[in-house]
Amino acid sequence: MSFSAYDEHMNTAANADAQELAKFSELAHRWWDAGSEFRPLHEINPLRLAWIEELAPLAGKRVLDVGCGGGILAEAMARRAAHVMGIDLAVKPLGVARLHALEQGVTNVEYREVATEALAAEQPACFDVVTCMEMLEHVPDPASVVQACARLARPGGWVFFSTLNRNPKSFLFAIVGAEYVLRLLPRGTHEYARFIRPSELARWCRDAGLVPQAMRGLGYNPFTRRYFMQADTSVNYLVACRLPA
Ligand code: SAH
């Protein structure tokens, strides 16, 4: 697996791929351009936000968004009256996120450059809701991020993940379709070997003490150019977990 190269003896802050972070930093100035390579994130945002709110109402909650990038989800959750912290290890997207919140007058969101594992050591059991979307498939040791997310949630809290499944269909749709045919994403955005089967993610969650509660798939209709939530989790999917109270 892709994270076999990860050295357990390295500082936990090293659970990051410098090339991946550079890729997101390079594109950061276009993060809030809904016609750019970030269009998919803008389009799926209302769908995932609604699902999160259905399970874990956000108003007044302390929320952590892991791998927040330019803040599309973090800022939307702040607009739902949550107190949000967004973290990432790519510097430029964090700058873009801060500037956007400032311009929009959204004050209940803050952004920090800190590794998930490091924040878990600093602020364990502090968050009512932890979200970690479209990030695990870019990290050398995703199980370690899952573990850290579990530590960051308070007992009874919710932890949400989304990522890409690993099978021939997801290769065809998420890489060939999205990067080469429809050109929704730049080539090289995703690496197939890093995709994660729901069974793998569920095992990492359970090993971290989280109890998976619900799962949803995301679909895309290339004709209407619309994303939609569905039961089919064979390509892009979301998982909701809870830390027992
Ligand atoms: N979660 C956001 C952005 C997804 S893009 C959303 O769904 O809208 C993936 C993000 O993960 C990028 O911002 C990238 O910088 C971040 N990322 C990649 N590796 C990371 C790591 N090891 N630690 C923290 N963030 C990371």
Side-chain angles (χ1 to χ4, degrees):
M1 282 227 50
S2 59
F3 53 86
S4 59
Y6 175 58
D7 180 358
E8 287 184 347
H9 305 291
M10 276 161 74
N11 186 306
T12 48
N15 184 16
D17 182 328
Q19 255 179 311
E20 291 278 1
L21 299 177
K23 213 161 64 185
F24 288 106
S25 264
E26 232 164 76
L27 303 172
H29 59 288
R30 287 204 291 273
W31 211 287
W32 284 91
D33 175 353
S36 72
E37 43 277 90
F38 295 104
R39 186 176 85 87
L41 294 180
H42 286 276
E43 301 246 316
I44 66 175
N45 204 48
L47 302 173
R48 61 194 184 179
L49 183 65
W51 193 58
I52 293 166
E53 275 247 271
E54 203 181 298
L55 295 166
L58 292 168
K61 298 284 166 57
R62 289 205 61 187
V63 177
L64 176 71
D65 188 28
V66 171
C68 62
I72 294 172
L73 179 62
E75 196 180 294
M77 294 193 291
R79 286 179 183 281
R80 297 290 175 98
H83 305 282
V84 182
M85 185 192 292
I87 64 170
D88 206 291
L89 287 177
V91 181
K92 283 191 183 166
L94 286 173
V96 168
R98 284 189 196 106
L99 191 63
H100 195 270
L102 194 70
E103 281 171 358
Q104 297 291 313
V106 178
T107 53
N108 48 325
V109 61
E110 61 168 317
Y111 294 101
R112 275 184 66 182
E113 182 194 345
V114 60
T116 323
E117 291 90 341
L119 189 69
E122 183 191 309
Q123 301 193 18
C126 275
F127 296 91
D128 300 301
V129 176
V130 178
T131 56
C132 178
M133 304 295 197
E134 316 300 325
M135 181 266 201
L136 292 175
E137 70 276 20
H138 299 285
V139 170
D141 183 355
S144 163
V145 173
V146 171
Q147 190 86 38
C149 288
R151 277 189 77 187
L152 285 154
R154 65 152 173 83
W158 287 86
V159 183
F160 293 86
F161 297 103
S162 75
T163 191
L164 286 159
N165 203 338
R166 191 176 72 257
N167 56 55
K169 183 178 167 188
S170 72
F171 178 77
L172 194 69
F173 281 58
I175 294 184
V176 179
E179 295 183 14
Y180 291 83
V181 181
L182 301 173
R183 312 242 170 121
L184 298 170
L185 297 170
R187 286 182 194 181
T189 298
H190 288 116
E191 189 188 326
Y192 178 70
R194 285 198 161 164
F195 289 5
I196 299 165
R197 295 202 178 107
S199 57
E200 294 164 339
L201 182 53
R203 177 163 40 82
W204 299 337
C205 287
R206 285 192 300 268
D207 288 350
L210 294 169
V211 184
Q213 306 281 322
M215 198 156 97
R216 283 277 191 290
L218 269 174
Y220 180 69
N221 182 330
F223 301 106
T224 59
R225 303 180 78 211
R226 292 263 169 193
Y227 290 85
F228 52 91
M229 290 288 235
Q230 60 180 358
D232 179 353
T233 55
S234 57
V235 183
N236 209 319
Y237 65 98
L238 306 96
V239 176
C241 301
R242 233 176 155 173
L243 199 63

